[in-house]
Amino acid sequence: MNESARSEERPAGVRERRKARTRADLTTQARMLTVQRGLHGFTVEELCERVGVSRRTFFNYFPTKEDAVVGHADDGLDDDVLAAFRAARPKGCTGISPTLLGDLVRMVVEQSGRTGFSQAEACAFATAIHREPQLLARIVHTGPERERAFAELIADREGVEADHPVVTAAVVVFAGLLHRAAARYFQADNTRPHAEILTELLAGAQELFRQDLSP
């Protein structure tokens, strides 16, 4: 690639990262406001003021306030966490890498500690979601979309198709365990961090899959 091409690519990459950051900031603040006031207790204008963007910019990212609260499927992982996952693939291997499971665990556990919510705020947000039927319905609707994005991430790193059996198994297992970890984390009497609960469940899955699958 010549120097002029590289110079064009770099600003484009910077712009995309800035747009992703703004979109993620809108979701973070929308969730904070939902916790504090409920979905109908704040306006799009107030949300924009918190993030420092215009109303017009908001609608470039999200069609409604509810969509901002739910968030975009591509905003699940921070850029540095995603880059570390991609870079962790051993050089020179083909097909499914021998470190995939460990790298996935590290990526998910690392990200779980970056929600920006305290446990009390996270519990309050979960409660707010269940009080707002339209939010709960939207989150359920986006589940398959997020799973597809997760499958594409793994497949891209491993150089296989998104419907590869290992990719499919990883998505199903991680999605299920993330859901279970969240349920335990949000229990009123819980005192353990989300990452600790998730790691324990992942270790249990690893022990299970060590068993012989012969009939």
Side-chain angles (χ1 to χ4, degrees), residues 34-40 123-137 139:
T34 300
V35 168
Q36 294 165 7
R37 308 181 196 174
L39 179 63
H40 302 293
C123 291
F125 179 63
T127 300
I129 289 294
H130 284 83
R131 288 175 178 169
E132 305 284 355
Q134 65 270 44
L135 284 181
L136 187 58
I139 287 176

Side-chain angles (χ1 to χ4, degrees), residues 85-131:
F85 172 69
R86 293 183 182 278
R89 177 178 165 84
K91 304 297 182 185
C93 69
T94 58
I96 301 299
S97 60
T99 65
L100 175 60
L101 178 60
D103 295 339
L104 280 170
V105 171
R106 278 185 288 275
M107 178 182 72
V108 172
V109 170
E110 173 68 18
Q111 187 63 42
S112 74
R114 298 192 180 199
T115 62
F117 276 13
S118 67
Q119 183 177 353
E121 289 170 330
C123 291
F125 179 63
T127 300
I129 289 294
H130 284 83
R131 288 175 178 169

Side-chain angles (χ1 to χ4, degrees), residues 15-202:
R15 284 194 298 270
E16 289 304 314
R17 286 194 295 273
R18 187 181 299 122
K19 288 171 62 177
R21 182 70 266 166
T22 299
R23 187 175 64 201
D25 287 345
L26 284 167
T27 291
T28 297
Q29 293 303 321
R31 290 176 177 178
M32 289 291 189
L33 285 165
T34 300
V35 168
Q36 294 165 7
R37 308 181 196 174
L39 179 63
H40 302 293
F42 66 98
T43 65
V44 169
E45 288 76 14
E46 288 178 288
L47 173 58
C48 292
E49 184 177 352
R50 279 203 176 195
V51 180
V53 300
S54 68
R55 178 184 171 90
R56 180 178 179 180
T57 297
F58 172 87
F59 287 109
N60 286 336
Y61 290 101
F62 297 106
T64 68
K65 183 170 62 175
E66 290 87 345
D67 289 300
V69 175
V70 172
H72 193 278
D74 292 341
D75 292 336
L77 296 170
D78 291 346
D79 287 344
D80 57 335
V81 174
L82 184 58
F85 172 69
R86 293 183 182 278
R89 177 178 165 84
K91 304 297 182 185
C93 69
T94 58
I96 301 299
S97 60
T99 65
L100 175 60
L101 178 60
D103 295 339
L104 280 170
V105 171
R106 278 185 288 275
M107 178 182 72
V108 172
V109 170
E110 173 68 18
Q111 187 63 42
S112 74
R114 298 192 180 199
T115 62
F117 276 13
S118 67
Q119 183 177 353
E121 289 170 330
C123 291
F125 179 63
T127 300
I129 289 294
H130 284 83
R131 288 175 178 169
E132 305 284 355
Q134 65 270 44
L135 284 181
L136 187 58
R138 285 173 186 264
I139 287 176
V140 171
H141 179 73
T142 59
E145 182 182 354
R146 293 179 184 276
E147 289 186 7
R148 283 194 297 272
F150 190 41
E152 289 168 2
L153 166 65
I154 299 171
D156 182 61
R157 186 192 107 137
E158 298 300 296
V160 298
E161 297 297 323
D163 61 353
H164 188 285
V166 173
V167 175
T168 300
V171 171
V172 171
V173 170
F174 274 83
L177 294 185
L178 280 167
H179 179 76
R180 177 62 63 181
R184 291 187 181 179
Y185 180 70
F186 291 139
Q187 288 178 349
D189 59 348
N190 175 56
T191 58
R192 302 168 64 196
H194 180 266
E196 179 182 319
I197 297 171
L198 178 59
T199 302
E200 179 181 79
L201 292 172
L202 289 166

